[in-house]
Amino acid sequence: MNLSLYYKDLQLFSPFSSSVFYKYRFFLDTRIGEDEVLFQLDDIDNDGEIEIPILTGKENRLTLKIQEPIGNIKKIINFQETLEIGQFLGSLVFSDLNNDGQKEIITSIGSTFSGAPRAIAAWDGDKGDLLWSFPMGCGPDIFEILDIDQDGNKEIIVMGRAPHNGVSANGTDDDHSYIFALDSKGNLIWRLILGGYYTRWWIKTLDIDRDGQIEIIASKDCDREIDPEPGEIRIIEASTGATENLYKESPSFSEIFILPKNKGEIQLVVGNSVGDVILLDRHLNPLKRIRVDHPAIIRGVARMGDQGEKNYLFVQAGFTKFLIFNEKLKELYRYNIDYFSDIKNMTFYSLKDQGRRYGLINASRLYLIEKKSWPFFVWLGRVLSSKFISHLFIFIILNGLFAYLFTLISSASPIELKLQSDWLDQAQDLAHRMKNALFTIQLQAENLKMLAQKKLDDHDRQIVLPISQSILDDVSELSRQTRILMKILTHRPLNLKWVEINSLIKKVINRYVDYYRGKIEFLLDLESESQDVLVDEEQLEEALANLISNALDAMPEGGRLTLRSTIIHSPGKQTIKGLEIEVEDTGQGIPEEILSEIFKPAFTTKKDGLGIGLTITKRIVEAHGGRISVYSRVGVGTKFAIFLPWRNK
């Protein structure tokens, strides 16, 4: 299933009943443009129907369209206040703050590496006038609005993450993560410092112990690789900020969700970075835990179909798996999504329409999950005419062989495995044989397709053509993977020599300046003291070119590319520890959930990419005894940092 297509249906076995299918359908009439941002779905005008807020920004002026799922535009709001350069709206919610019957628009305002302050702001829900703004240094990614003290005026609970790029405002910085409360006019009630740089918190609010007081349930995520902080789940008093209960584990936690139970009881469900899905009681005692293959992100808890009071858990596992569990963490259904790069900030919403329930995935596009009933013979015909038969022959025989060989190679670099040249020769020979076999299969499939078009009647043609096309699609994918395998198997020893690093950086960047002139701003922030480093010039040049090329691809509409070189000294500045080279762009950014995947072989978000550039880059850096790190934010930009250890002449 290719989610990037404008319209794509896929019938899947239902996790609920053997007699129905699930249908993922793209809402064609609500396609989101490249310059538009989709915000949280809600019943904005209290008419009992879900509306979709879509924001468009041109020259820092913002326009908000309120749209129905079927595409009709209900309302357009033009924001009167412009944002500063580098600022953007991160979240947007409609709420009646002061209980006057009119909803205000409450937004978080983020900023890129420009240094502009962040904020929580309230706007008039009709005219778009700015009512108030609370500046801050931390990044206000998540907030909830509720009446904590039951006086009719609502308070705002804010999570501020720690992006660590030097912004301070209003008593907060971005080297720490915060949770704090504001009143309906934007005044600070309390503030709580909870984590260091590159940490964030996911928050939910409710009266968890049924004592009449609202609590905040918060789960902690830490993105940094050096000395990562342990994950935490806290229960915090919403009125004071005092911590009532605390649960710690070593991995980071994803967003936490509330699972309603019978008689007013609740449980909590959360995923973590090692792939656990965990059920906890309201006192944060673990009740059950299951392990999935990859980091687990809970995307939603909702009722589906005619299943009464049953809730289902929707889980993203790593970058390609979408799973559904019941309340007891029994896996009911899983599906591998081929192009998960199209899923950005995926969120699951439950919709109800004339007694039927649907699920809506909020991604870079909108997708609907609904129950569809099919007669048995229709179901059987669809299975027989699907990819099922061809997959048995192609993937069991060839893809199975490839997966085994690829696992051996991708588990570590050739240098770490100390692969011998004779083994490499044999593996490369095997890859060439696979390539030849695939070419033969491709020819036979094309002949089968041609014969079907010319010789078969309509009924048989409708069965054979999808099978032959499926074989051709599979051959194309396996051919791509074979090219990746052959490139991975090519082991190049280092040819070390002393190279002046600033000259090398200028040499690489000069390849691109003329072609991108007027579209990309190139900035060089190089170490003033010229330094020679012992490197393989050709391979390091290739590694930098891969990073620069990716950065430019991430800025299709233009932007700024910065290259830095920095000499890293010991704490006393008596000796040099190493050299750091940074490649920073102001492009689309990389979703947090895939950052851990980007250096893996065959992983790519590009339609025609092999997914090998970053793998080779990492291998080159590590062959020099160095390391590479990445820091990114969707809609803000990405920074790759290469550290090379120092060697004296």
Side-chain angles (χ1 to χ4, degrees), residues 35-39 52-66 73 75-83 89 92 94 105 123 127-128:
D35 61 343
E36 295 179 326
V37 180
L38 179 72
F39 284 102
I52 304 170
I54 300 175
L55 185 75
T56 303
K58 292 184 179 179
E59 298 179 353
N60 279 19
R61 288 196 171 274
L62 305 175
T63 299
L64 186 68
K65 294 187 298 183
I66 308 302
I73 296 176
K75 187 177 183 181
I76 294 179
I77 301 169
N78 294 308
F79 287 77
Q80 301 304 309
E81 191 83 11
T82 60
L83 300 181
L89 294 192
L92 181 149
F94 282 78
I105 306 171
W123 314 73
K127 300 177 181 178

Side-chain angles (χ1 to χ4, degrees), residues 342-585:
D342 288 329
I343 300 283
K344 299 175 182 177
N345 301 318
M346 186 179 76
T347 310
F348 185 87
Y349 299 93
S350 181
L351 306 177
K352 187 173 182 180
D353 176 25
Q354 296 179 349
R356 296 188 299 169
R357 286 191 177 271
Y358 306 87
L360 186 62
I361 296 179
N362 172 2
S364 58
R365 303 288 191 264
L366 294 181
Y367 295 87
L368 184 73
I369 306 176
E370 62 179 310
K371 294 185 69 175
K372 291 291 184 182
S373 298
W374 301 97
F376 173 77
F377 290 106
V378 174
W379 168 83
L380 183 60
R382 287 178 177 268
V383 172
L384 292 176
S385 61
S386 70
K387 292 185 178 183
F388 174 73
I389 297 176
S390 62
H391 282 182
L392 284 178
F393 290 94
I394 296 296
F395 276 107
I396 290 178
I397 296 173
L398 290 176
N399 207 18
L401 176 62
F402 175 83
Y404 172 73
L405 182 58
F406 189 75
T407 300
L408 292 178
I409 295 166
S410 62
S411 60
S413 70
I415 291 178
E416 292 169 330
L417 291 173
K418 295 181 171 54
L419 296 174
Q420 301 299 319
S421 60
D422 58 341
W423 190 94
L424 283 171
D425 290 341
Q426 294 175 25
Q428 287 177 334
D429 181 67
L430 176 59
H432 279 291
R433 290 174 181 269
M434 290 172 61
K435 184 178 179 181
N436 293 337
L438 288 169
F439 180 71
T440 301
I441 294 172
Q442 179 182 351
L443 288 178
Q444 296 298 329
E446 288 174 347
N447 289 335
L448 177 63
K449 184 176 181 180
M450 181 179 64
L451 289 172
Q453 291 171 332
K454 292 182 178 180
K455 303 293 185 181
L456 299 181
D457 58 32
D458 289 342
H459 178 268
D460 292 338
R461 188 183 302 118
Q462 290 176 4
I463 295 176
V464 175
L465 283 179
I467 294 175
S468 59
Q469 185 59 50
S470 176
I471 294 173
L472 290 171
D473 292 342
D474 294 337
V475 166
S476 176
E477 173 60 19
L478 287 172
S479 296
R480 186 185 75 88
Q481 294 181 0
T482 303
R483 294 197 302 274
I484 295 171
L485 178 61
M486 293 174 68
K487 190 140 187 171
I488 292 174
L489 288 170
T490 303
H491 172 45
R492 298 149 58 193
L494 295 179
N495 178 22
L496 298 176
K497 61 180 180 180
W498 293 100
V499 177
E500 204 285 304
I501 194 64
N502 286 353
S503 296
L504 176 62
I505 292 173
K506 292 176 182 177
K507 175 184 174 183
V508 178
I509 201 67
N510 283 338
R511 300 179 191 172
Y512 304 93
V513 171
D514 288 339
Y515 183 82
Y516 288 91
R517 192 180 304 277
K519 183 177 182 181
I520 300 294
E521 178 186 4
F522 292 87
L523 296 179
L524 292 179
D525 182 12
L526 304 180
E527 183 71 42
S528 58
E529 181 182 358
S530 177
Q531 296 288 350
D532 290 343
V533 291
L534 188 63
V535 296
D536 184 317
E537 182 177 10
E538 180 180 342
Q539 293 195 39
L540 184 58
E541 188 175 330
E542 179 183 353
L544 291 174
N546 285 338
L547 296 180
I548 292 170
S549 178
N550 285 348
L552 294 171
D553 288 344
M555 298 184 288
E557 304 301 323
R560 183 174 65 251
L561 178 65
T562 304
L563 276 86
R564 299 185 184 90
S565 64
T566 307
I567 301 298
I568 307 298
H569 293 84
S570 62
K573 294 193 174 182
Q574 301 298 315
T575 60
I576 297 177
K577 295 180 63 177
L579 170 75
E580 187 171 70
I581 305 172
E582 296 179 351
V583 179
E584 179 179 320
D585 65 67

Side-chain angles (χ1 to χ4, degrees), residues 11 40 47 79 142 162 172 241 295-296 317 320 409 437 461 515 531 602-603:
Q11 283 73 42
Q40 180 175 329
D47 65 351
F79 287 77
I142 302 171
T172 67
T320 59
I409 295 166
R461 188 183 302 118
Y515 183 82
Q531 296 288 350
F603 176 84

Side-chain angles (χ1 to χ4, degrees), residues 268-285:
L268 305 172
V269 60
V270 69
N272 68 20
S273 58
V274 298
D276 292 331
V277 179
I278 309 167
L279 277 179
L280 304 105
D281 67 15
R282 61 187 179 91
H283 303 292
L284 302 186
N285 299 310

